[in-house]
Amino acid sequence: MESQKQFKRRFSFEFFPPKTDQGKEKLQAVRNQLAEVNPDFFSVTFGAGGSTRDRTIETVLNLHQQGISTAPHLSCVGGTREEIGELLDEIGELLDVYKENGINRIVALRGDMPSGMGASGELRYANELVEFIRQHSGDHFNLEVAAYPEFHPQARNAEEDLKNFARKVQAGANSAITQYFFNADSYFYFIDRLEQMGVTIPVVPGIMPIVNFSSLVRFSDMCGAEIPRWIRKQLEAYGDDTESILKFGEEVVTEMCQKLLKAGAPGLHFYTLNQAEPSLSIWKNLGISDREKIAF
């Protein structure tokens, strides 16, 4: 963990682009609440195969214009080889739009394959997307990439997954945000392995507040994030007692965040699911509103 202690801490919140006018109003309210703690940036997700492309652009530009830096997610999977020229042109156009509007950070991901699609395009891996962005836009963008402390669910093995991460760094990634996890030791081990490989960019833990047990299980099964047995069993025991789930989840995630920051993690990235209170509760418990006086 020594390599992570050299980096300035940063804190961020992630949204998904709303589908309805009601969703837009809700996100605006959530944005206003989270803006009060002055995060370093917001980020906005990009659907499977770019399925939310237009909503992502609209949401990013709207949030960014309100005064807090906003980073769009950009994924590269989803085109066939025959469509490669169109795919690259589209990515290039997106980069130009973001650059013209003052966006200076991008979360570059391979992305999830759209349902029913059996073949990926020419840009099959995130390191290829990072390389393309660098070729197209030079060093204009700070490029965030994904990290998987519990390893990517589609990785052939742990060693190959570590090598894949190193390729993204070699291609030009500046920093990384992890998939969420509930076992801090998995993050510590991942960082130690990176240090052994000479990879020393900031790797910021992704934090998922616990608000709904069935949704958490579904998300975790899809993305390969482990819910430790003791947490799973306790959540199961609460059944439909939402208040107890929220209280227990807040305590568990707060304690993990305290452990991460005390060990030198370079910040936290909250997966908000377009809700303010769960992330803000953890934030307040950590006492990180005054970054200079943070007690870790």
CSV table of all heavy atoms in Angstrom, one decimal, residues 1-8 187-188 190-203 263-266:
chain,number,residue,atom,x,y,z
A,1,MET,N,0.8,-1.2,0.0
A,1,MET,CA,0.0,0.0,0.0
A,1,MET,C,0.8,1.3,0.0
A,1,MET,O,0.3,2.4,-0.1
A,1,MET,CB,-0.9,0.0,1.2
A,1,MET,CG,-2.1,-0.9,1.1
A,1,MET,SD,-3.2,-0.3,-0.2
A,1,MET,CE,-3.8,1.2,0.5
A,2,GLU,N,2.1,1.2,0.1
A,2,GLU,CA,3.0,2.4,0.2
A,2,GLU,C,2.9,3.3,-1.0
A,2,GLU,O,2.9,4.5,-0.9
A,2,GLU,CB,4.5,1.9,0.4
A,2,GLU,CG,4.8,1.3,1.8
A,2,GLU,CD,4.4,2.3,2.9
A,2,GLU,OE1,4.7,3.5,2.9
A,2,GLU,OE2,3.7,1.8,3.9
A,3,SER,N,2.7,2.7,-2.2
A,3,SER,CA,2.6,3.5,-3.4
A,3,SER,C,1.4,4.4,-3.4
A,3,SER,O,1.5,5.5,-4.0
A,3,SER,CB,2.6,2.6,-4.6
A,3,SER,OG,1.4,1.8,-4.7
A,4,GLN,N,0.3,4.0,-2.8
A,4,GLN,CA,-0.9,4.8,-2.8
A,4,GLN,C,-0.8,6.0,-1.9
A,4,GLN,O,-1.6,7.0,-2.1
A,4,GLN,CB,-2.1,3.9,-2.4
A,4,GLN,CG,-2.3,2.8,-3.4
A,4,GLN,CD,-2.6,3.3,-4.8
A,4,GLN,OE1,-3.6,4.0,-5.0
A,4,GLN,NE2,-1.8,2.8,-5.7
A,5,LYS,N,0.0,6.0,-0.9
A,5,LYS,CA,0.1,7.1,0.1
A,5,LYS,C,0.7,8.4,-0.5
A,5,LYS,O,0.5,9.4,0.1
A,5,LYS,CB,0.9,6.6,1.3
A,5,LYS,CG,0.3,5.5,2.1
A,5,LYS,CD,1.1,5.0,3.3
A,5,LYS,CE,0.5,3.9,4.0
A,5,LYS,NZ,1.3,3.4,5.1
A,6,GLN,N,1.3,8.3,-1.6
A,6,GLN,CA,2.0,9.4,-2.2
A,6,GLN,C,1.0,10.3,-3.0
A,6,GLN,O,1.3,11.5,-3.3
A,6,GLN,CB,3.1,9.0,-3.2
A,6,GLN,CG,2.5,8.3,-4.4
A,6,GLN,CD,3.6,7.8,-5.4
A,6,GLN,OE1,4.3,8.6,-6.0
A,6,GLN,NE2,3.7,6.5,-5.5
A,7,PHE,N,-0.2,9.8,-3.2
A,7,PHE,CA,-1.2,10.5,-4.1
A,7,PHE,C,-2.2,11.4,-3.3
A,7,PHE,O,-2.6,11.0,-2.2
A,7,PHE,CB,-2.0,9.5,-4.9
A,7,PHE,CG,-1.1,8.7,-5.8
A,7,PHE,CD1,-1.1,7.3,-5.6
A,7,PHE,CD2,-0.3,9.2,-6.8
A,7,PHE,CE1,-0.3,6.5,-6.4
A,7,PHE,CE2,0.5,8.5,-7.6
A,7,PHE,CZ,0.5,7.1,-7.4
A,8,LYS,N,-2.5,12.5,-3.8
A,8,LYS,CA,-3.5,13.4,-3.2
A,8,LYS,C,-4.8,12.7,-3.2
A,8,LYS,O,-5.3,12.1,-4.2
A,8,LYS,CB,-3.6,14.7,-3.9
A,8,LYS,CG,-4.6,15.7,-3.3
A,8,LYS,CD,-4.6,17.0,-4.1
A,8,LYS,CE,-5.6,17.9,-3.5
A,8,LYS,NZ,-5.7,19.2,-4.2
A,187,TYR,N,-8.6,-5.4,-1.7
A,187,TYR,CA,-8.0,-4.2,-2.2
A,187,TYR,C,-6.5,-4.1,-1.9
A,187,TYR,O,-5.7,-3.8,-2.7
A,187,TYR,CB,-8.7,-3.0,-1.7
A,187,TYR,CG,-8.1,-1.7,-2.1
A,187,TYR,CD1,-8.3,-1.1,-3.3
A,187,TYR,CD2,-7.3,-1.0,-1.1
A,187,TYR,CE1,-7.7,0.1,-3.7
A,187,TYR,CE2,-6.7,0.2,-1.5
A,187,TYR,CZ,-6.9,0.8,-2.7
A,187,TYR,OH,-6.3,2.0,-3.1
A,188,PHE,N,-6.2,-4.4,-0.6
A,188,PHE,CA,-4.8,-4.3,-0.2
A,188,PHE,C,-3.9,-5.3,-0.9
A,188,PHE,O,-2.8,-5.0,-1.4
A,188,PHE,CB,-4.7,-4.6,1.3
A,188,PHE,CG,-5.4,-3.7,2.2
A,188,PHE,CD1,-6.0,-4.1,3.4
A,188,PHE,CD2,-5.6,-2.3,1.9
A,188,PHE,CE1,-6.7,-3.2,4.2
A,188,PHE,CE2,-6.3,-1.4,2.7
A,188,PHE,CZ,-6.8,-1.9,3.8
A,190,PHE,N,-4.5,-6.6,-3.9
A,190,PHE,CA,-4.5,-6.1,-5.3
A,190,PHE,C,-3.4,-5.0,-5.5
A,190,PHE,O,-2.6,-5.1,-6.4
A,190,PHE,CB,-5.8,-5.6,-5.7
A,190,PHE,CG,-5.9,-5.1,-7.2
A,190,PHE,CD1,-6.0,-6.0,-8.2
A,190,PHE,CD2,-5.9,-3.7,-7.5
A,190,PHE,CE1,-6.0,-5.6,-9.5
A,190,PHE,CE2,-6.0,-3.3,-8.8
A,190,PHE,CZ,-6.1,-4.2,-9.8
A,191,ILE,N,-3.4,-4.1,-4.6
A,191,ILE,CA,-2.4,-3.0,-4.6
A,191,ILE,C,-1.0,-3.5,-4.4
A,191,ILE,O,0.0,-3.2,-5.1
A,191,ILE,CB,-2.7,-1.9,-3.6
A,191,ILE,CG1,-4.0,-1.2,-3.8
A,191,ILE,CG2,-1.5,-0.9,-3.6
A,191,ILE,CD1,-4.1,-0.6,-5.2
A,192,ASP,N,-0.8,-4.5,-3.5
A,192,ASP,CA,0.5,-5.1,-3.3
A,192,ASP,C,1.0,-5.8,-4.5
A,192,ASP,O,2.2,-5.7,-4.9
A,192,ASP,CB,0.4,-6.1,-2.1
A,192,ASP,CG,0.3,-5.4,-0.8
A,192,ASP,OD1,0.6,-4.1,-0.7
A,192,ASP,OD2,0.0,-6.0,0.2
A,193,ARG,N,0.1,-6.5,-5.2
A,193,ARG,CA,0.5,-7.2,-6.5
A,193,ARG,C,0.9,-6.2,-7.5
A,193,ARG,O,1.9,-6.4,-8.3
A,193,ARG,CB,-0.6,-8.1,-7.0
A,193,ARG,CG,-0.9,-9.3,-6.1
A,193,ARG,CD,0.3,-10.2,-6.0
A,193,ARG,NE,1.0,-10.4,-7.2
A,193,ARG,CZ,0.7,-11.3,-8.1
A,193,ARG,NH1,-0.3,-12.1,-7.9
A,193,ARG,NH2,1.4,-11.5,-9.2
A,194,LEU,N,0.2,-5.1,-7.6
A,194,LEU,CA,0.5,-4.0,-8.6
A,194,LEU,C,1.9,-3.4,-8.3
A,194,LEU,O,2.7,-3.2,-9.2
A,194,LEU,CB,-0.5,-2.9,-8.6
A,194,LEU,CG,-1.9,-3.3,-9.1
A,194,LEU,CD1,-2.8,-2.0,-9.1
A,194,LEU,CD2,-1.9,-3.9,-10.5
A,195,GLU,N,2.2,-3.2,-7.0
A,195,GLU,CA,3.5,-2.7,-6.6
A,195,GLU,C,4.6,-3.6,-7.0
A,195,GLU,O,5.7,-3.2,-7.5
A,195,GLU,CB,3.5,-2.4,-5.1
A,195,GLU,CG,2.6,-1.2,-4.7
A,195,GLU,CD,2.6,-1.0,-3.2
A,195,GLU,OE1,3.2,-1.9,-2.5
A,195,GLU,OE2,2.0,0.0,-2.8
A,196,GLN,N,4.4,-4.9,-6.9
A,196,GLN,CA,5.4,-5.9,-7.3
A,196,GLN,C,5.6,-5.9,-8.8
A,196,GLN,O,6.7,-6.2,-9.2
A,196,GLN,CB,4.9,-7.3,-6.9
A,196,GLN,CG,4.8,-7.5,-5.4
A,196,GLN,CD,4.1,-8.8,-5.0
A,196,GLN,OE1,4.0,-9.7,-5.8
A,196,GLN,NE2,3.7,-8.9,-3.7
A,197,MET,N,4.6,-5.4,-9.5
A,197,MET,CA,4.7,-5.3,-11.0
A,197,MET,C,5.3,-4.0,-11.4
A,197,MET,O,5.5,-3.7,-12.6
A,197,MET,CB,3.4,-5.6,-11.7
A,197,MET,CG,2.8,-7.0,-11.4
A,197,MET,SD,1.1,-7.1,-11.9
A,197,MET,CE,1.2,-6.9,-13.7
A,198,GLY,N,5.5,-3.1,-10.5
A,198,GLY,CA,5.9,-1.7,-10.8
A,198,GLY,C,4.9,-0.8,-11.3
A,198,GLY,O,5.1,0.2,-11.9
A,199,VAL,N,3.6,-1.1,-11.0
A,199,VAL,CA,2.4,-0.3,-11.4
A,199,VAL,C,2.0,0.5,-10.2
A,199,VAL,O,1.6,0.0,-9.2
A,199,VAL,CB,1.3,-1.2,-11.9
A,199,VAL,CG1,0.1,-0.3,-12.3
A,199,VAL,CG2,1.7,-2.0,-13.1
A,200,THR,N,2.1,1.8,-10.4
A,200,THR,CA,1.9,2.7,-9.2
A,200,THR,C,1.0,3.9,-9.4
A,200,THR,O,1.2,4.9,-8.9
A,200,THR,CB,3.3,3.2,-8.7
A,200,THR,OG1,4.0,3.9,-9.7
A,200,THR,CG2,4.1,2.1,-8.2
A,201,ILE,N,0.0,3.8,-10.3
A,201,ILE,CA,-1.0,4.8,-10.4
A,201,ILE,C,-1.9,4.8,-9.3
A,201,ILE,O,-2.1,3.8,-8.6
A,201,ILE,CB,-1.7,4.8,-11.8
A,201,ILE,CG1,-2.6,3.5,-11.8
A,201,ILE,CG2,-0.8,4.8,-13.0
A,201,ILE,CD1,-3.6,3.5,-13.0
A,202,PRO,N,-2.6,5.9,-9.0
A,202,PRO,CA,-3.7,5.9,-7.9
A,202,PRO,C,-4.8,4.9,-8.3
A,202,PRO,O,-5.3,4.9,-9.4
A,202,PRO,CB,-4.2,7.4,-7.9
A,202,PRO,CG,-3.2,8.2,-8.7
A,202,PRO,CD,-2.5,7.3,-9.6
A,203,VAL,N,-5.2,4.1,-7.3
A,203,VAL,CA,-6.3,3.2,-7.5
A,203,VAL,C,-7.3,3.5,-6.4
A,203,VAL,O,-7.1,3.2,-5.2
A,203,VAL,CB,-5.8,1.7,-7.4
A,203,VAL,CG1,-7.0,0.8,-7.6
A,203,VAL,CG2,-4.7,1.4,-8.5
A,263,ALA,N,-5.2,3.0,5.8
A,263,ALA,CA,-4.1,2.3,5.2
A,263,ALA,C,-3.5,3.1,4.0
A,263,ALA,O,-2.5,2.6,3.5
A,263,ALA,CB,-4.6,0.9,4.7
A,264,GLY,N,-4.1,4.2,3.6
A,264,GLY,CA,-3.5,5.0,2.6
A,264,GLY,C,-4.2,5.0,1.3
A,264,GLY,O,-3.7,5.5,0.3
A,265,ALA,N,-5.5,4.5,1.2
A,265,ALA,CA,-6.2,4.6,-0.1
A,265,ALA,C,-6.3,6.1,-0.5
A,265,ALA,O,-6.6,6.9,0.3
A,265,ALA,CB,-7.6,4.0,0.1
A,266,PRO,N,-6.1,6.3,-1.8
A,266,PRO,CA,-6.1,7.7,-2.3
A,266,PRO,C,-7.5,8.3,-2.6
A,266,PRO,O,-7.7,9.0,-3.6
A,266,PRO,CB,-5.3,7.6,-3.6
A,266,PRO,CG,-5.6,6.3,-4.1
A,266,PRO,CD,-5.8,5.4,-2.9
